[in-house]
C-alpha cells in the first residue's frame, strides 16, 4: 500500500515571514543549481543576497562572483550574524548542519527553496509546471524557448543550463512562468515534493516511474506524490501526459481539467511518427487525433527527445500558439548542457556527456546516440551516483539497458557521507558488468574516472563514440578524456 500523503507527513514548512523590498536574503547551500538561480533572481529583483556552501566551485561560484554575491566558504553560525530578513535552506542541508542548527535557535525567519520561489516569483504569474521522472529538464527549457521565440517573453527556472538562455533562469515580462517541477523533497523541515509548492495552472507530465529510493518507498509512493500534483490543478486547467509511460497515462485520468495524452505509440491524442535522423537533426510528423498537423525537426537525437518536443508542441497549442510558431522554436532549440551533449571529436573519437542515472534514461540516451551515429562503435560509460542508482534496486535493469551499447564500462559506486548505502543494499558494478557480458556485450567494472580515462585511452579508437552517463561531475572524466584523447584533429572543448 502507498504511504500516507506527503502533505500529511509534512512538518511546518517554515516560520512566518514577509520580505521587505530590498531586504537581505541568505541562502544556505547557495551553490546548488537551483539555489544559485534563486540567488540570481533575487539579485535581479533588487534584494541583497548572501550565501554559504562547503562546495564553492565553478560554474556556480563564477556566476555568483559575477553578480557580486558574497559566498561564505563553509557552514558556520557566524554566517547569520548579519540577521538576514529571510534564510532559504537548500534540501541538501540536514538538521544537524551547524549553520542550520544555529538558524533554528536564532529566531530568524526561514523557508525552503520551493516556498521562496512560489511566494516571491510565482504569485503574479501563471505557473506552467513540467514534471516527470525523465525528460522534464529538456522539456522545460524547450517550452520556454518556444514561447520566447514566439515573442511571449516568459520567465523560466530549470535544473540545467538552457543553452538558448545562457543559464538556468530568466525573469520575463510575459504572463507565464515555466518551471521544472522536481518530485524530490523540499527541505529537512518540509518533506513535501518541491512541485507541490508551485501552484500549477497547466501541467506537462513527461513520465512516471520509480526513482529516488532514498525518500520514496515504492512506485505507489511515487504515484501518490504525482497524484497530489495533478490534484493541485484548478478545474479546467490543461494537463498533458506522455502515454508511452503507463503510470503517467493512468494518473492523467485524475485531472479535473482537460487531460490529453501524447506519445509515439498506443491510444494517444497527440502522436509523433515518421521519425528520421539525418546525422544533424531529427525530423518527425505531428498529428492530432489522426490528422497530421505539422512536420518538425529538432537538433537533439532520439525518440526520447521527440517525446519531449511533442509534449511541448501539444501544450504550446493549448496556450494559443500557432503551429508554425512552435515548429520554429523547436527547430532553433539548442538543448540543455549534459543532455546528450556533444562535447567534441577528439582524434576521431566523438565524446558525448549525458545526465542519465535511471535505467529508462540510460536506455533512452544509448538509443538516441545510436540513432545519431548508427555505424560507429558505441561505448557506454556509466557512474552509479544518484541515490537510486547506488542501490541494488535497478541492478538487473541497468544491465539490460547497457547491453544496447557495443562496449560498456561501469564505474565504482559513489559513496556519500550524507546517505551511506549499506553493503547488502548497494549496487554491484562487477555484477552489472558480468550480466552485460553474458548478454554478449563486452563490459568492464573499473574503479573510477582515473582508471576509466586510462582504459579508454588505450582501447578506444578513431570512429568510436564514447557516451558518459552520470548525474554528477563523474570526477572530471569529461575533461580528463578531452585532454587525453585531444591533440591534432580535436574539434571540441571540455
Amino acid at each position: 500500500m502507498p504511504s500516507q500523503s506527503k502533505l500529511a507527513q509534512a512538518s511546518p514548512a517554515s516560520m512566518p515571514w514577509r520580505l521587505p523590498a530590498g531586504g537581505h536574503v541568505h541562502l544556505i547551500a547557495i551553490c546548488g543549481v537551483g539555489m544559485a538561480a534563486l540567488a540570481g533572481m533575487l539579485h535581479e529583483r533588487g534584494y541583497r543576497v548572501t550565501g554559504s556552501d562547503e562546495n564553492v566551485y565553478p560554474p556556480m561560484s563564477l556566476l555568483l562572483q559575477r553578480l557580486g554575491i558574497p559566498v561564505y566558504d563553509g557552514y558556520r553560525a557566524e554566517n547569520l550574524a548579519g540577521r538576514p530578513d529571510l534564510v532559504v535552506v537548500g534540501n541538501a542541508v540536514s538538521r544537524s548542519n551547524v549553520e542550520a542548527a544555529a538558524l533554528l535557535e536564532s529566531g530568524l525567519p526561514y523557508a525552503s527553496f520551493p516556498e521562496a520561489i512560489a511566494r516571491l516569483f510565482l504569485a503574479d504569474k501563471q505557473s506552467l509546471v513540467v514534471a516527470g521522472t525523465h525528460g522534464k529538464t529538456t522539456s522545460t527549457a524547450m517550452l520556454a524557448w518556444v514561447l520566447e521565440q514566439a515573442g511571449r517573453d516568459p520567465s523560466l527556472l530549470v535544473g540545467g543550463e538552457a543553452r538558448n538562455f545562457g543559464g538556468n533562469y530568466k525573469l520575463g515580462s510575459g504572463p507565464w512562468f515555466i518551471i521544472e517541477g522536481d518530485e524530490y523533497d523540499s527541505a529537512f523541515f518540509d518533506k513535501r515534493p518541491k512541485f507541490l509548492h508551485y501552484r500549477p495552472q497547466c501541467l506537462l507530465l513527461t513520465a512516471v516511474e520509480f526513482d529516488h529510493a532514498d525518500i520514496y518507498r515504492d512506485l505507489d509512493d511515487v504515484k501518490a506524490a504525482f497524484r497530489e500534483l495533478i490534484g493541485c490543478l484548478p478545474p479546467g486547467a490543461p494537463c498533458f501526459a506522455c502515454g508511452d509511460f503507463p503510470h503517467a497515462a493512468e494518473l492523467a485520468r485524475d485531472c479535473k481539467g482537460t487531460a490529453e495524452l501524447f506519445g509515439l505509440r498506443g491510444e494517444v491524442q497527440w502522436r509523433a511518427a515518421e521519425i528520421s535522423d539525418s546525422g544533424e537533426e531529427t525530423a518527425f510528423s505531428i498529428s492530432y487525433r489522426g490528422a497530421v498537423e505539422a512536420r518538425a525537426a529538432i537538433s537533439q537525437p532520439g525518440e526520447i527527445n521527440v517525446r519531449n518536443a511533442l509534449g511541448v508542441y501539444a501544450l504550446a497549442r493549448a496556450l494559443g500558439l500557432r503551429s508554425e510558431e512552435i515548429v520554429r522554436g523547436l527547430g532553433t532549440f539548442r538543448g540543455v548542457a549534459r543532455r546528450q551533449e556533444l562535447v567534441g571529436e577528439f582524434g576521431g573519437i566523438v565524446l558525448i556527456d549525458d545526465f542519465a542515472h535511471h535505467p529508462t534514461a540510460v536506455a533512452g540516451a544509448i538509443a538516441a546516440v545510436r540513432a545519431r551515429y548508427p555505424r560507429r562503435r558505441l561505448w557506454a560509460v556509466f557512474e552509479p551516483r544518484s541515490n537510486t542508482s547506488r542501490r541494488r534496486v535497478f541492478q538487473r535493469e541497468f544491465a539490460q539497458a547497457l547491453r544496447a551499447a557495443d562496449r560498456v564500462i561501469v564505474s565504482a559506486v559513489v559513496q556519500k557521507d550524507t546517505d551511506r548505502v549499506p553493503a547488502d543494499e548497494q549496487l554491484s558494478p562487477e555484477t552489472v558488468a558480468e550480466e552485460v557480458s553474458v548478454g554478449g556485450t563486452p563490459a568492464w567494472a573499473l574503479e573510477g574516472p582515473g582508471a576509466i580515462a586510462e582504459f579508454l585511452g588505450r582501447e578506444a579508437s578513431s570512429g568510436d563514440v564514447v557516451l558518459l552517463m552520470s548525474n554528477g561531475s563523474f570526477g572530471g572524466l569529461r575533461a580528463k578524456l578531452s585532454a587525453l584523447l585531444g591533440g591534432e584533429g580535436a574539434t571540441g572543448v571540455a
Side-chain angles (χ1 to χ4, degrees), residues 83-414:
R83 303 291 298 178
D85 298 293
L86 176 68
V87 179
V88 181
V89 184
N91 72 340
V93 176
S94 68
R95 185 180 294 272
S96 61
N97 175 290
V98 63
E99 194 167 329
L103 170 66
L104 296 177
E105 294 178 358
S106 70
L108 292 170
Y110 60 90
S112 68
F113 164 81
E115 182 190 355
I117 291 292
R119 288 185 56 179
L120 296 174
F121 295 98
L122 299 183
D124 60 349
K125 297 286 185 179
Q126 295 180 43
S127 175
L128 309 185
V129 175
V130 182
T133 312
H134 321 294
K136 59 182 174 288
T137 302
T138 297
S139 297
T140 303
M142 187 182 286
L143 175 61
W145 180 245
V146 165
L147 294 175
E148 178 79 5
Q149 278 287 91
R152 303 315 200 265
D153 195 19
S155 297
L156 165 70
L157 180 60
V158 63
E161 182 189 343
R163 294 190 169 278
N164 292 91
F165 295 100
N168 68 329
Y169 74 91
K170 172 183 180 288
L171 295 179
S173 62
W176 294 313
F177 199 122
I178 298 90
I179 187 165
E180 178 175 345
D182 186 357
E183 66 270 31
Y184 214 76
D185 57 6
S186 297
F188 70 81
F189 50 84
D190 181 359
K191 305 314 290 182
R192 291 175 290 179
K194 292 178 187 174
F195 56 38
L196 293 184
H197 287 275
Y198 293 153
R199 308 168 185 166
Q201 304 298 307
C202 181
L203 176 64
L204 178 59
L205 185 57
T206 60
V208 175
E209 292 192 300
F210 179 63
D211 199 3
H212 304 306
D214 53 324
I215 62 170
Y216 289 103
R217 189 180 65 199
D218 51 27
L219 176 60
D220 283 338
D221 205 15
V222 173
K223 288 165 65 176
F226 281 99
R227 187 172 286 113
E228 287 191 74
L229 173 64
I230 290 172
C232 293
L233 286 166
C239 173
F240 295 90
C242 186
D244 293 344
F245 292 90
H247 303 300
E250 171 197 340
L251 292 172
R253 291 196 288 268
D254 294 337
C255 180
K256 299 187 293 284
T258 303
E260 291 188 327
L261 301 181
F262 64 91
L264 311 185
R265 302 168 186 88
E267 298 296 322
V268 295
Q269 286 82 26
W270 294 91
R271 183 183 303 278
E274 301 175 298
I275 301 170
S276 62
D277 193 308
S278 69
E280 294 184 353
E281 64 178 20
T282 306
F284 54 98
S285 63
I286 298 174
S287 60
Y288 180 63
R289 298 187 182 276
V292 176
E293 185 167 302
R295 184 78 181 168
I298 55 176
S299 62
Q300 297 72 41
E303 290 187 353
I304 187 172
N305 285 303
V306 172
R307 286 191 188 92
N308 293 335
L310 179 62
V312 166
Y313 182 95
L315 191 154
R317 289 289 280 147
L319 296 176
L321 272 68
R322 301 188 309 276
S323 176
E324 57 269 26
E325 291 180 297
I326 305 169
V327 169
R328 183 170 62 250
L330 294 176
T332 54
F333 177 63
R334 296 173 54 204
V336 178
R338 303 206 58 228
R339 272 64 176 182
Q340 298 97 49
E341 179 188 353
L342 175 61
V343 180
E345 186 161 349
F346 306 90
I349 299 172
V350 172
L351 182 61
I352 294 174
D353 193 10
D354 194 75
F355 200 73
H357 54 277
H358 182 284
T360 300
V362 167
I366 291 173
V369 174
R370 178 76 77 188
R372 182 57 49 95
Y373 303 97
R375 290 176 291 278
R376 294 197 182 209
R377 185 171 68 169
L378 174 58
W379 292 80
V381 186
F382 174 63
E383 181 185 48
R385 187 185 186 95
S386 75
N387 290 329
T388 301
S389 66
R390 295 184 302 123
R391 291 168 165 81
R392 194 169 293 174
V393 60
F394 284 137
Q395 186 160 285
R396 180 174 299 175
E397 289 81 357
F398 276 123
Q400 291 172 343
L402 289 164
R403 282 181 191 138
D406 298 306
R407 299 287 187 274
V408 170
I409 298 173
V410 184
S411 185
V413 172
V414 174

Side-chain angles (χ1 to χ4, degrees), residues 57-64 66:
Y57 54 82
M60 291 304 128
S61 61
L62 297 178
L63 166 66
L64 297 168
R66 188 169 69 248

Side-chain angles (χ1 to χ4, degrees), residues 346 477-487 494:
F346 306 90
L477 180 57
R478 167 176 168 157
K480 286 181 173 70
L481 284 173
S482 300
L484 183 65
L485 301 175

